[in-house]
Every structure is written in C-alpha cells, then in structure tokens.
C-alpha cells in the first residue's frame, strides 16, 4: 500500500448545492489522496442560486492566516497545493504566502483561477480580485481556467475565444508563460455537439485535446469536479493528457447520470454514485 498524497485544499464551502469543497474532498479521497482543508469562505448556497436578503457569505481571510500559522507550527507538508474559489482580493496574497511557505521540491501547485463562466465574472468577484488572480496563477505548475477565465487572464474579450484547434493552441501557449507551466482550458468545443478540454504539457511541450458528447444542460460545480479528477490522476503519476481525458469523461458521465435522474440542475451533478470508478485498486 502506498502512502496517500497530502493535498492542501484551499476552497470555499457552499452549504447548499454541489460545488467547491463538497466536490473536492470526496473526489480526491476516492482517488487515494488525503486533503487538509483551508476554507476561503462559507456560502449558504453557491453563487448560481438567486440572491436573497438571507444569503450568507462569510469571508474567512483572517482565519486563513491563523490556519496557516497553526499548520506551520504543526510541521505540515504537502504533495500538492490546490486553490479554487476565493472570498476576497486579499486572499491572493495569503495564498501566495502559503505557497512560498509550504512548497517544497516535488510539490505540485494547481490553481483553478475561478472567476466566472459564460463570459461573465461571478457576482462576488470584483475587478480587483480578477486582476490579481493573474499573480496567483503565476505561482502554479498547472492552471485550469474555463474559457471565460482564460480570456480574463489573457486580458482578451470573451468574444475573441478561439473556436478552432489552432486558435486554442495559441491561447494555451500564451497562458503557459513561455512553457513554464502546464495549462488545461475547459469548456473547449471543436465541433458542434462536442465539448471537452485542451492542454499544454510543460513536461513534453505538446498540446492535446479531448472531446466528448455535450450533454444538453449546464451544471454548476463541473469545473471543480474536472480539476479535482485531474489533480487526483496527476498525483497517481498519470501524464497530463491522460489525466485530462479521465476528467473530461468523468464529468460527462456524471452530467448524463444527473440528467437521467432528473434532479434540478442548480443542485449540481450527482457524481457520488460514480465515485467507485475513480478508486485505484
């Protein structure tokens, strides 16, 4: 039996609806990793739900700094650092400090630069937070933006998102910082009725694409699901293109299973019955 990789999972927790930590923790656990969790925020429901006067958004920046200090005292050590949804612009600096403090030779840093979708930033993401996300992404070994986030990082209008493989290769190369980091862009569609991802692998210098059938519905949390499966596979030693392929396939099958069950899309994909497929035996 091999030692379980230790992952510092820096994510929010939404009390209602599947996303963020409620996806990250079970997926990585099923794939053989152990997560130590530092919460960025607590939300009563994810941001896809209609806002109301009763919605809760608790910014945990102060607690993140205290948590980091405590973990230092405990001698924490990590095989991977994985960040997602942030609660404030100030958290960019906190996470950069965290990476500087806990990164060691061999630590894989994956930044999912969560900022928005479908061409629009999330309601809690200020222009300052979006602008500073670029600095956090510079710390990463791997980033996993969707099309909206890729455009923001490149400071390009969403209307300029490439629709062919050549254009997507160009964006992947630009986001790789001259080949210094790996990049996976999600939501890539290279043909009608198809969707998936494209990647640049810094270890090989190669581009790869994975496409699958596009299910006729959009679900919140699929970016978290994708990045978590990708990281779990990478920590098993799988190459980036193979890890991307697994993530694309698992997200599609989870979406298809959810549609078959007929649950409300805003609740997210019901990936739990499929977790057994991710277990490495």
């Amino acid at each position: 039996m091999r030692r379980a990789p230790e992952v510092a999972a820096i994510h929010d927790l939404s009390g209602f609806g599947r996303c963020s930590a409620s996806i990250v923790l079970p997926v990585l656990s099923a794939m053989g990793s152990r997560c130590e969790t530092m919460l960025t925020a607590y939300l009563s429901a994810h941001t896809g739900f209609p806002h109301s006067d009763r919605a809760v958004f608790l910014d945990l920046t102060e607690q993140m700094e205290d948590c980091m200090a405590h973990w230092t005292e405990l001698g924490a050590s990590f095989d991977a650092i994985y960040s997602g949804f942030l609660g404030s612009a100030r958290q960019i600096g906190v996470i950069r400090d965290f990476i500087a403090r806990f990164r060691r030779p061999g630590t894989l840093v994956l930044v999912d630069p969560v900022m928005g979708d479908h061409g629009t930033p999330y309601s809690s993401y200020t222009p300052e937070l979006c602008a500073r996300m670029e600095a956090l992404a510079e710390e990463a070994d791997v980033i996993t933006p969707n099309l909206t986030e890729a455009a923001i990082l490149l400071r390009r209008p969403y209307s300029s998102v490439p629709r062919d493989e050549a254009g997507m290769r160009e964006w992947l190369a630009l986001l790789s910082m001259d080949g210094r980091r790996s990049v996976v862009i999600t939501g890539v569609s290279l043909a009608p009725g198809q969707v998936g991802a494209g990647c640049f692998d810094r270890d090989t210098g190669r581009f790869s694409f994975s496409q699958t059938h596009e299910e006729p519905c959009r679900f919140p949390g699929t970016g978290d699901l994708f990045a978590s499966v990708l990281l779990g596979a990478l920590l098993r030693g799988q190459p980036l293109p193979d890890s991307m392929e697994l993530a694309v396939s698992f997200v599609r099958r989870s979406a298809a299973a959810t549609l078959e069950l007929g649950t409300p899309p805003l609740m997210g994909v019901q990936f739990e019955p499929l977790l057994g497929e991710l277990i490495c035996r």
Side-chain angles (χ1 to χ4, degrees):
M1 180 181 295
R2 71 183 183 100
R3 179 184 67 85
E6 297 273 350
V7 179
I10 307 174
H11 290 264
D12 73 294
L13 175 62
S14 291
F16 199 75
R18 292 177 182 84
C19 69
S20 57
S22 63
I23 290 177
V24 172
L25 302 185
V27 167
L28 285 174
S29 295
M31 298 186 75
S33 293
R34 175 178 173 179
C35 291
E36 316 297 347
T37 309
M38 186 164 75
L39 294 180
T40 61
Y42 174 78
L43 290 72
S44 53
H46 67 64
T47 58
F49 284 102
H51 292 284
S52 72
D53 293 339
R54 295 182 179 273
V56 174
F57 187 104
L58 182 60
D59 178 352
L60 296 175
T61 305
E62 299 291 342
Q63 288 73 24
M64 289 173 66
E65 293 178 325
D66 293 341
C67 178
M68 181 166 58
H70 191 198
W71 286 7
T72 301
E73 293 176 1
L74 295 174
S77 178
F78 302 105
D79 299 289
I81 299 170
Y82 170 24
S83 70
F85 183 93
L86 306 183
S88 70
R90 184 179 159 198
Q91 291 181 0
I92 296 288
V94 176
I95 297 174
R96 294 185 73 188
D97 288 346
F98 185 97
I99 293 169
R101 185 176 301 192
F102 291 104
R103 187 181 227 158
R104 55 181 173 79
T107 300
L108 177 65
V109 177
L110 188 152
V111 172
D112 186 4
V114 178
M115 290 183 280
D117 207 352
H118 314 310
T120 305
Y122 295 129
S123 58
S124 62
Y125 267 60
T126 64
E128 179 190 6
L129 179 50
C130 289
R132 294 185 64 186
M133 184 63 78
E134 185 176 346
L136 177 57
E138 287 176 357
E139 305 284 349
D141 299 300
V142 186
I143 61 171
T144 57
N146 61 29
L147 297 174
T148 300
E149 293 151 358
I152 293 172
L153 289 173
L154 290 173
R155 303 182 186 181
R156 302 279 183 90
Y158 183 71
S159 59
S160 69
V161 168
R163 302 301 176 187
D164 59 10
E165 186 172 317
M168 195 55 63
R169 283 173 180 254
E170 179 187 2
W171 274 36
L172 287 164
L174 289 170
L175 287 168
S176 76
M177 300 191 307
D178 295 322
R180 297 195 300 276
R181 69 182 174 198
S182 295
V183 181
V184 184
I185 300 179
T186 62
V188 173
S189 177
L190 300 178
Q194 298 287 300
V195 71
C199 74
F200 169 80
D201 186 348
R202 72 174 182 184
D203 293 336
T204 64
R206 295 180 178 176
F207 299 91
S208 301
F209 293 88
S210 175
Q211 297 282 278
T212 189
H213 170 70
E214 183 174 17
E215 298 296 336
C217 189
R218 295 182 182 273
F219 298 93
T222 51
D224 300 318
L225 183 58
F226 179 96
S228 300
V229 174
L230 181 87
L231 178 59
L234 290 173
L235 290 173
R236 288 178 178 172
Q238 294 181 229
L240 183 64
D242 293 350
S243 301
M244 175 181 69
E245 184 79 32
L246 176 63
V248 166
S249 174
F250 190 79
V251 171
R252 188 206 66 80
R253 287 183 285 114
S254 296
T258 306
L259 284 173
E260 185 176 346
L261 289 169
T263 55
L266 274 178
M267 291 302 296
V269 290
Q270 295 201 37
F271 64 93
E272 296 91 345
L274 302 179
L275 280 176
E277 299 178 11
L278 298 175
I279 295 173
C280 185
R281 295 179 173 85

Short mmCIF file of all heavy atoms in Angstrom, two decimals, residues 183-242:
data_model
loop_
_atom_site.label_atom_id
_atom_site.label_comp_id
_atom_site.label_asym_id
_atom_site.label_seq_id
_atom_site.Cartn_x
_atom_site.Cartn_y
_atom_site.Cartn_z
N VAL A 183 -1.06 24.04 -18.76
CA VAL A 183 -2.35 24.72 -18.84
C VAL A 183 -3.40 23.75 -19.35
O VAL A 183 -3.16 23.01 -20.32
CB VAL A 183 -2.29 25.94 -19.80
CG1 VAL A 183 -3.64 26.65 -19.84
CG2 VAL A 183 -1.18 26.90 -19.40
N VAL A 184 -4.55 23.73 -18.70
CA VAL A 184 -5.71 22.99 -19.20
C VAL A 184 -6.87 23.97 -19.28
O VAL A 184 -7.26 24.56 -18.27
CB VAL A 184 -6.09 21.81 -18.29
CG1 VAL A 184 -7.24 21.02 -18.91
CG2 VAL A 184 -4.89 20.90 -18.03
N ILE A 185 -7.40 24.17 -20.47
CA ILE A 185 -8.58 25.03 -20.65
C ILE A 185 -9.80 24.13 -20.80
O ILE A 185 -9.82 23.23 -21.65
CB ILE A 185 -8.45 25.95 -21.88
CG1 ILE A 185 -7.24 26.88 -21.73
CG2 ILE A 185 -9.72 26.77 -22.07
CD1 ILE A 185 -7.03 27.81 -22.93
N THR A 186 -10.82 24.37 -19.98
CA THR A 186 -12.04 23.56 -20.04
C THR A 186 -13.12 24.28 -20.83
O THR A 186 -13.05 25.48 -21.07
CB THR A 186 -12.54 23.27 -18.62
OG1 THR A 186 -12.87 24.51 -17.98
CG2 THR A 186 -11.48 22.56 -17.80
N GLY A 187 -14.13 23.51 -21.22
CA GLY A 187 -15.23 24.06 -22.00
C GLY A 187 -14.92 24.23 -23.47
O GLY A 187 -15.65 24.92 -24.19
N VAL A 188 -13.84 23.60 -23.93
CA VAL A 188 -13.41 23.74 -25.32
C VAL A 188 -14.31 22.90 -26.22
O VAL A 188 -14.52 21.71 -25.99
CB VAL A 188 -11.94 23.28 -25.49
CG1 VAL A 188 -11.55 23.25 -26.96
CG2 VAL A 188 -11.02 24.18 -24.69
N SER A 189 -14.85 23.51 -27.26
CA SER A 189 -15.69 22.81 -28.23
C SER A 189 -15.09 23.01 -29.62
O SER A 189 -15.03 24.13 -30.12
CB SER A 189 -17.12 23.34 -28.19
OG SER A 189 -17.92 22.72 -29.19
N LEU A 190 -14.66 21.91 -30.23
CA LEU A 190 -14.02 21.98 -31.54
C LEU A 190 -14.95 21.53 -32.67
O LEU A 190 -14.57 21.57 -33.83
CB LEU A 190 -12.74 21.14 -31.56
CG LEU A 190 -11.67 21.55 -30.54
CD1 LEU A 190 -10.47 20.60 -30.61
CD2 LEU A 190 -11.24 22.99 -30.76
N ALA A 191 -16.17 21.12 -32.31
CA ALA A 191 -17.16 20.70 -33.31
C ALA A 191 -18.54 20.79 -32.68
O ALA A 191 -18.68 20.67 -31.45
CB ALA A 191 -16.89 19.27 -33.78
N PRO A 192 -19.58 21.00 -33.48
CA PRO A 192 -20.93 21.07 -32.92
C PRO A 192 -21.29 19.80 -32.15
O PRO A 192 -21.01 18.69 -32.59
CB PRO A 192 -21.80 21.22 -34.17
CG PRO A 192 -20.90 21.84 -35.19
CD PRO A 192 -19.55 21.25 -34.94
N GLY A 193 -21.88 19.99 -30.98
CA GLY A 193 -22.30 18.85 -30.16
C GLY A 193 -21.17 18.21 -29.37
O GLY A 193 -21.40 17.19 -28.71
N GLN A 194 -19.97 18.79 -29.43
CA GLN A 194 -18.83 18.26 -28.71
C GLN A 194 -18.32 19.29 -27.71
O GLN A 194 -18.40 20.49 -27.94
CB GLN A 194 -17.70 17.89 -29.67
CG GLN A 194 -18.05 16.81 -30.67
CD GLN A 194 -18.14 15.44 -30.03
OE1 GLN A 194 -17.16 14.94 -29.46
NE2 GLN A 194 -19.31 14.82 -30.10
N VAL A 195 -17.77 18.80 -26.59
CA VAL A 195 -17.18 19.69 -25.60
C VAL A 195 -16.11 18.91 -24.84
O VAL A 195 -16.14 17.68 -24.79
CB VAL A 195 -18.24 20.24 -24.63
CG1 VAL A 195 -18.75 19.14 -23.69
CG2 VAL A 195 -17.74 21.44 -23.84
N GLY A 196 -15.16 19.63 -24.28
CA GLY A 196 -14.09 18.94 -23.55
C GLY A 196 -13.05 19.93 -23.08
O GLY A 196 -13.38 20.97 -22.51
N ALA A 197 -11.80 19.63 -23.36
CA ALA A 197 -10.71 20.46 -22.86
C ALA A 197 -9.51 20.35 -23.79
O ALA A 197 -9.42 19.43 -24.61
CB ALA A 197 -10.32 20.02 -21.45
N GLY A 198 -8.61 21.30 -23.63
CA GLY A 198 -7.34 21.27 -24.34
C GLY A 198 -6.24 21.58 -23.36
O GLY A 198 -6.44 22.30 -22.39
N CYS A 199 -5.05 21.01 -23.59
CA CYS A 199 -3.96 21.23 -22.64
C CYS A 199 -2.63 21.45 -23.33
O CYS A 199 -2.40 21.00 -24.47
CB CYS A 199 -3.85 20.07 -21.65
SG CYS A 199 -3.14 18.55 -22.30
N PHE A 200 -1.76 22.16 -22.64
CA PHE A 200 -0.34 22.24 -22.97
C PHE A 200 0.40 21.61 -21.81
O PHE A 200 0.21 22.00 -20.65
CB PHE A 200 0.12 23.69 -23.14
CG PHE A 200 1.62 23.82 -23.21
CD1 PHE A 200 2.30 23.54 -24.39
CD2 PHE A 200 2.36 24.17 -22.08
CE1 PHE A 200 3.69 23.62 -24.45
CE2 PHE A 200 3.75 24.25 -22.13
CZ PHE A 200 4.41 23.98 -23.32
N ASP A 201 1.27 20.64 -22.10
CA ASP A 201 2.02 19.92 -21.09
C ASP A 201 3.45 20.45 -21.09
O ASP A 201 4.20 20.25 -22.06
CB ASP A 201 2.00 18.43 -21.41
CG ASP A 201 2.65 17.58 -20.32
OD1 ASP A 201 3.31 18.14 -19.44
OD2 ASP A 201 2.48 16.34 -20.38
N ARG A 202 3.84 21.10 -20.03
CA ARG A 202 5.19 21.69 -19.99
C ARG A 202 6.28 20.62 -19.99
O ARG A 202 7.42 20.88 -20.39
CB ARG A 202 5.34 22.60 -18.77
CG ARG A 202 5.42 21.87 -17.44
CD ARG A 202 5.70 22.82 -16.30
NE ARG A 202 5.81 22.10 -15.03
CZ ARG A 202 5.99 22.69 -13.86
NH1 ARG A 202 6.06 24.02 -13.79
NH2 ARG A 202 6.10 21.98 -12.75
N ASP A 203 5.96 19.41 -19.50
CA ASP A 203 6.96 18.36 -19.44
C ASP A 203 7.35 17.85 -20.82
O ASP A 203 8.49 17.43 -21.04
CB ASP A 203 6.46 17.19 -18.59
CG ASP A 203 6.32 17.56 -17.12
OD1 ASP A 203 7.01 18.52 -16.68
OD2 ASP A 203 5.52 16.92 -16.41
N THR A 204 6.41 17.87 -21.75
CA THR A 204 6.67 17.36 -23.10
C THR A 204 6.66 18.46 -24.16
O THR A 204 7.14 18.23 -25.27
CB THR A 204 5.62 16.30 -23.49
OG1 THR A 204 4.32 16.93 -23.54
CG2 THR A 204 5.59 15.17 -22.48
N GLY A 205 6.09 19.62 -23.81
CA GLY A 205 5.96 20.70 -24.79
C GLY A 205 4.88 20.43 -25.82
O GLY A 205 4.83 21.11 -26.85
N ARG A 206 3.98 19.50 -25.54
CA ARG A 206 2.96 19.10 -26.52
C ARG A 206 1.57 19.60 -26.14
O ARG A 206 1.26 19.79 -24.97
CB ARG A 206 2.93 17.57 -26.65
CG ARG A 206 4.21 16.99 -27.22
CD ARG A 206 4.12 15.47 -27.32
NE ARG A 206 5.34 14.90 -27.91
CZ ARG A 206 5.57 13.60 -28.06
NH1 ARG A 206 4.64 12.72 -27.63
NH2 ARG A 206 6.68 13.19 -28.59
N PHE A 207 0.75 19.78 -27.16
CA PHE A 207 -0.65 20.14 -27.00
C PHE A 207 -1.50 18.89 -27.20
O PHE A 207 -1.20 18.04 -28.03
CB PHE A 207 -1.07 21.19 -28.02
CG PHE A 207 -0.30 22.48 -27.93
CD1 PHE A 207 0.86 22.67 -28.66
CD2 PHE A 207 -0.75 23.51 -27.12
CE1 PHE A 207 1.57 23.86 -28.58
CE2 PHE A 207 -0.05 24.70 -27.03
CZ PHE A 207 1.12 24.88 -27.76
N SER A 208 -2.60 18.79 -26.43
CA SER A 208 -3.54 17.68 -26.59
C SER A 208 -4.96 18.20 -26.41
O SER A 208 -5.18 19.21 -25.71
CB SER A 208 -3.27 16.58 -25.55
OG SER A 208 -1.97 16.08 -25.65
N PHE A 209 -5.92 17.50 -27.01
CA PHE A 209 -7.32 17.87 -26.88
C PHE A 209 -8.15 16.63 -26.61
O PHE A 209 -7.83 15.53 -27.09
CB PHE A 209 -7.82 18.57 -28.15
CG PHE A 209 -7.19 19.91 -28.38
CD1 PHE A 209 -6.00 20.02 -29.08
CD2 PHE A 209 -7.77 21.06 -27.86
CE1 PHE A 209 -5.39 21.26 -29.26
CE2 PHE A 209 -7.17 22.30 -28.04
CZ PHE A 209 -5.98 22.39 -28.74
N SER A 210 -9.19 16.79 -25.84
CA SER A 210 -10.12 15.72 -25.54
C SER A 210 -11.54 16.24 -25.74
O SER A 210 -11.91 17.26 -25.16
CB SER A 210 -9.94 15.23 -24.10
OG SER A 210 -10.91 14.25 -23.76
N GLN A 211 -12.31 15.54 -26.55
CA GLN A 211 -13.68 15.94 -26.83
C GLN A 211 -14.63 14.79 -26.54
O GLN A 211 -14.30 13.62 -26.72
CB GLN A 211 -13.83 16.37 -28.29
CG GLN A 211 -13.00 17.60 -28.67
CD GLN A 211 -13.64 18.88 -28.18
OE1 GLN A 211 -14.52 19.44 -28.81
NE2 GLN A 211 -13.16 19.36 -27.03
N THR A 212 -15.83 15.14 -26.08
CA THR A 212 -16.85 14.14 -25.80
C THR A 212 -18.21 14.74 -26.15
O THR A 212 -18.32 15.92 -26.47
CB THR A 212 -16.80 13.71 -24.32
OG1 THR A 212 -17.67 12.58 -24.12
CG2 THR A 212 -17.24 14.84 -23.40
N HIS A 213 -19.23 13.90 -26.09
CA HIS A 213 -20.59 14.36 -26.38
C HIS A 213 -21.01 15.43 -25.38
O HIS A 213 -20.81 15.27 -24.16
CB HIS A 213 -21.56 13.19 -26.32
CG HIS A 213 -23.00 13.57 -26.37
ND1 HIS A 213 -23.60 14.08 -27.50
CD2 HIS A 213 -23.96 13.53 -25.40
CE1 HIS A 213 -24.87 14.35 -27.22
NE2 HIS A 213 -25.11 14.02 -25.97
N GLU A 214 -21.58 16.52 -25.85
CA GLU A 214 -22.05 17.60 -24.97
C GLU A 214 -23.47 17.31 -24.51
O GLU A 214 -24.39 17.21 -25.34
CB GLU A 214 -21.99 18.95 -25.69
CG GLU A 214 -22.41 20.11 -24.80
CD GLU A 214 -22.20 21.46 -25.46
OE1 GLU A 214 -22.04 21.50 -26.71
OE2 GLU A 214 -22.23 22.48 -24.75
N GLU A 215 -23.64 17.17 -23.21
CA GLU A 215 -24.97 16.93 -22.66
C GLU A 215 -25.80 18.22 -22.74
O GLU A 215 -25.26 19.32 -22.62
CB GLU A 215 -24.88 16.45 -21.21
CG GLU A 215 -24.14 15.13 -21.03
CD GLU A 215 -24.82 13.96 -21.72
OE1 GLU A 215 -26.04 14.03 -21.94
OE2 GLU A 215 -24.12 12.98 -22.03
N PRO A 216 -27.11 18.10 -22.93
CA PRO A 216 -27.95 19.29 -23.18
C PRO A 216 -28.35 20.05 -21.93
O PRO A 216 -29.51 20.42 -21.75
CB PRO A 216 -29.18 18.67 -23.87
CG PRO A 216 -29.30 17.32 -23.26
CD PRO A 216 -27.90 16.85 -23.06
N CYS A 217 -27.38 20.29 -21.04
CA CYS A 217 -27.68 21.05 -19.82
C CYS A 217 -26.36 21.50 -19.20
O CYS A 217 -25.34 20.81 -19.34
CB CYS A 217 -28.46 20.19 -18.82
SG CYS A 217 -29.08 21.12 -17.39
N ARG A 218 -26.38 22.64 -18.54
CA ARG A 218 -25.19 23.14 -17.84
C ARG A 218 -25.41 23.01 -16.34
O ARG A 218 -26.50 23.28 -15.84
CB ARG A 218 -24.92 24.60 -18.21
CG ARG A 218 -24.56 24.79 -19.67
CD ARG A 218 -24.26 26.25 -19.97
NE ARG A 218 -23.96 26.48 -21.36
CZ ARG A 218 -22.76 26.37 -21.91
NH1 ARG A 218 -21.73 26.03 -21.16
NH2 ARG A 218 -22.58 26.60 -23.20
N PHE A 219 -24.36 22.59 -15.65
CA PHE A 219 -24.43 22.38 -14.21
C PHE A 219 -23.34 23.18 -13.50
O PHE A 219 -22.21 23.23 -13.97
CB PHE A 219 -24.23 20.91 -13.86
CG PHE A 219 -25.27 19.98 -14.43
CD1 PHE A 219 -25.08 19.35 -15.64
CD2 PHE A 219 -26.45 19.73 -13.73
CE1 PHE A 219 -26.02 18.49 -16.17
CE2 PHE A 219 -27.40 18.86 -14.24
CZ PHE A 219 -27.19 18.25 -15.47
N PRO A 220 -23.64 23.78 -12.36
CA PRO A 220 -22.59 24.40 -11.55
C PRO A 220 -21.70 23.32 -10.95
O PRO A 220 -22.12 22.18 -10.76
CB PRO A 220 -23.37 25.14 -10.46
CG PRO A 220 -24.66 24.40 -10.36
CD PRO A 220 -24.98 23.91 -11.75
N GLY A 221 -20.47 23.67 -10.66
CA GLY A 221 -19.56 22.76 -9.99
C GLY A 221 -18.79 21.82 -10.89
O GLY A 221 -17.92 21.08 -10.42
N THR A 222 -19.07 21.82 -12.20
CA THR A 222 -18.36 20.88 -13.08
C THR A 222 -16.89 21.26 -13.21
O THR A 222 -16.04 20.39 -13.42
CB THR A 222 -19.02 20.81 -14.46
OG1 THR A 222 -19.19 22.13 -14.98
CG2 THR A 222 -20.37 20.12 -14.38
N GLY A 223 -16.57 22.56 -13.08
CA GLY A 223 -15.16 22.95 -13.10
C GLY A 223 -14.41 22.41 -11.91
O GLY A 223 -13.26 21.94 -12.03
N ASP A 224 -15.04 22.43 -10.72
CA ASP A 224 -14.43 21.85 -9.53
C ASP A 224 -14.25 20.34 -9.70
O ASP A 224 -13.23 19.78 -9.29
CB ASP A 224 -15.31 22.12 -8.31
CG ASP A 224 -15.50 23.59 -8.03
OD1 ASP A 224 -14.52 24.34 -8.13
OD2 ASP A 224 -16.64 23.99 -7.72
N LEU A 225 -15.24 19.70 -10.28
CA LEU A 225 -15.17 18.26 -10.50
C LEU A 225 -14.04 17.93 -11.46
O LEU A 225 -13.25 17.00 -11.22
CB LEU A 225 -16.51 17.75 -11.02
CG LEU A 225 -16.65 16.25 -11.24
CD1 LEU A 225 -16.40 15.49 -9.95
CD2 LEU A 225 -18.03 15.91 -11.81
N PHE A 226 -13.96 18.68 -12.54
CA PHE A 226 -12.91 18.44 -13.53
C PHE A 226 -11.52 18.59 -12.91
O PHE A 226 -10.67 17.71 -13.04
CB PHE A 226 -13.05 19.42 -14.70
CG PHE A 226 -12.00 19.25 -15.76
CD1 PHE A 226 -12.26 18.47 -16.88
CD2 PHE A 226 -10.75 19.85 -15.65
CE1 PHE A 226 -11.28 18.29 -17.86
CE2 PHE A 226 -9.77 19.67 -16.60
CZ PHE A 226 -10.04 18.90 -17.72
N ALA A 227 -11.28 19.72 -12.24
CA ALA A 227 -9.95 19.99 -11.69
C ALA A 227 -9.58 18.97 -10.62
O ALA A 227 -8.40 18.58 -10.50
CB ALA A 227 -9.89 21.40 -11.12
N SER A 228 -10.55 18.52 -9.84
CA SER A 228 -10.27 17.55 -8.78
C SER A 228 -9.88 16.20 -9.36
O SER A 228 -8.93 15.55 -8.88
CB SER A 228 -11.48 17.42 -7.86
OG SER A 228 -11.78 18.67 -7.25
N VAL A 229 -10.62 15.74 -10.38
CA VAL A 229 -10.26 14.47 -11.02
C VAL A 229 -8.89 14.59 -11.69
O VAL A 229 -8.05 13.68 -11.61
CB VAL A 229 -11.33 14.06 -12.05
CG1 VAL A 229 -10.89 12.82 -12.83
CG2 VAL A 229 -12.66 13.79 -11.36
N LEU A 230 -8.65 15.71 -12.35
CA LEU A 230 -7.36 15.94 -12.99
C LEU A 230 -6.22 15.85 -11.98
O LEU A 230 -5.22 15.14 -12.19
CB LEU A 230 -7.35 17.32 -13.66
CG LEU A 230 -6.06 17.69 -14.39
CD1 LEU A 230 -6.10 17.17 -15.82
CD2 LEU A 230 -5.83 19.20 -14.39
N LEU A 231 -6.37 16.55 -10.84
CA LEU A 231 -5.32 16.53 -9.83
C LEU A 231 -5.14 15.13 -9.24
O LEU A 231 -4.01 14.67 -9.06
CB LEU A 231 -5.64 17.52 -8.72
CG LEU A 231 -4.64 17.57 -7.56
CD1 LEU A 231 -3.25 17.92 -8.04
CD2 LEU A 231 -5.11 18.55 -6.49
N GLY A 232 -6.24 14.45 -8.96
CA GLY A 232 -6.14 13.10 -8.41
C GLY A 232 -5.38 12.17 -9.33
O GLY A 232 -4.56 11.36 -8.88
N ALA A 233 -5.60 12.31 -10.64
CA ALA A 233 -4.90 11.47 -11.61
C ALA A 233 -3.42 11.85 -11.69
O ALA A 233 -2.53 10.98 -11.76
CB ALA A 233 -5.55 11.58 -12.97
N LEU A 234 -3.13 13.15 -11.66
CA LEU A 234 -1.73 13.59 -11.69
C LEU A 234 -0.96 13.07 -10.48
O LEU A 234 0.21 12.66 -10.59
CB LEU A 234 -1.66 15.11 -11.74
CG LEU A 234 -2.11 15.78 -13.04
CD1 LEU A 234 -2.15 17.30 -12.87
CD2 LEU A 234 -1.20 15.40 -14.21
N LEU A 235 -1.60 13.06 -9.32
CA LEU A 235 -0.94 12.58 -8.11
C LEU A 235 -0.74 11.07 -8.13
O LEU A 235 0.05 10.54 -7.34
CB LEU A 235 -1.72 13.01 -6.88
CG LEU A 235 -1.68 14.51 -6.58
CD1 LEU A 235 -2.63 14.87 -5.44
CD2 LEU A 235 -0.26 14.96 -6.25
N ARG A 236 -1.43 10.38 -9.01
CA ARG A 236 -1.18 8.95 -9.21
C ARG A 236 -0.03 8.72 -10.19
O ARG A 236 0.35 7.58 -10.45
CB ARG A 236 -2.43 8.28 -9.78
CG ARG A 236 -3.57 8.12 -8.82
CD ARG A 236 -4.73 7.49 -9.56
NE ARG A 236 -5.87 7.24 -8.70
CZ ARG A 236 -7.06 6.85 -9.14
NH1 ARG A 236 -7.25 6.68 -10.45
NH2 ARG A 236 -8.05 6.64 -8.30
N GLY A 237 0.46 9.79 -10.78
CA GLY A 237 1.54 9.66 -11.74
C GLY A 237 1.11 9.57 -13.19
O GLY A 237 1.94 9.30 -14.07
N GLN A 238 -0.18 9.82 -13.47
CA GLN A 238 -0.64 9.78 -14.84
C GLN A 238 -0.21 11.04 -15.59
O GLN A 238 -0.18 12.13 -15.02
CB GLN A 238 -2.17 9.65 -14.89
CG GLN A 238 -2.69 8.33 -14.36
CD GLN A 238 -4.22 8.24 -14.45
OE1 GLN A 238 -4.88 7.88 -13.49
NE2 GLN A 238 -4.76 8.56 -15.60
N PRO A 239 0.15 10.92 -16.88
CA PRO A 239 0.51 12.09 -17.67
C PRO A 239 -0.65 13.07 -17.78
O PRO A 239 -1.82 12.69 -17.64
CB PRO A 239 0.88 11.51 -19.04
CG PRO A 239 1.13 10.06 -18.80
CD PRO A 239 0.24 9.67 -17.65
N LEU A 240 -0.34 14.34 -18.03
CA LEU A 240 -1.38 15.36 -18.10
C LEU A 240 -2.44 15.04 -19.14
O LEU A 240 -3.64 15.17 -18.84
CB LEU A 240 -0.74 16.73 -18.38
CG LEU A 240 -1.72 17.91 -18.41
CD1 LEU A 240 -2.38 18.13 -17.05
CD2 LEU A 240 -0.99 19.19 -18.84
N PRO A 241 -2.09 14.65 -20.39
CA PRO A 241 -3.17 14.35 -21.36
C PRO A 241 -4.10 13.24 -20.90
O PRO A 241 -5.32 13.32 -21.11
CB PRO A 241 -2.41 13.97 -22.63
CG PRO A 241 -1.08 14.63 -22.48
CD PRO A 241 -0.77 14.56 -21.01
N ASP A 242 -3.55 12.20 -20.27
CA ASP A 242 -4.39 11.10 -19.79
C ASP A 242 -5.27 11.56 -18.63
O ASP A 242 -6.44 11.15 -18.51
CB ASP A 242 -3.52 9.93 -19.33
CG ASP A 242 -2.76 9.27 -20.47
OD1 ASP A 242 -3.05 9.58 -21.64
OD2 ASP A 242 -1.87 8.45 -20.19
#
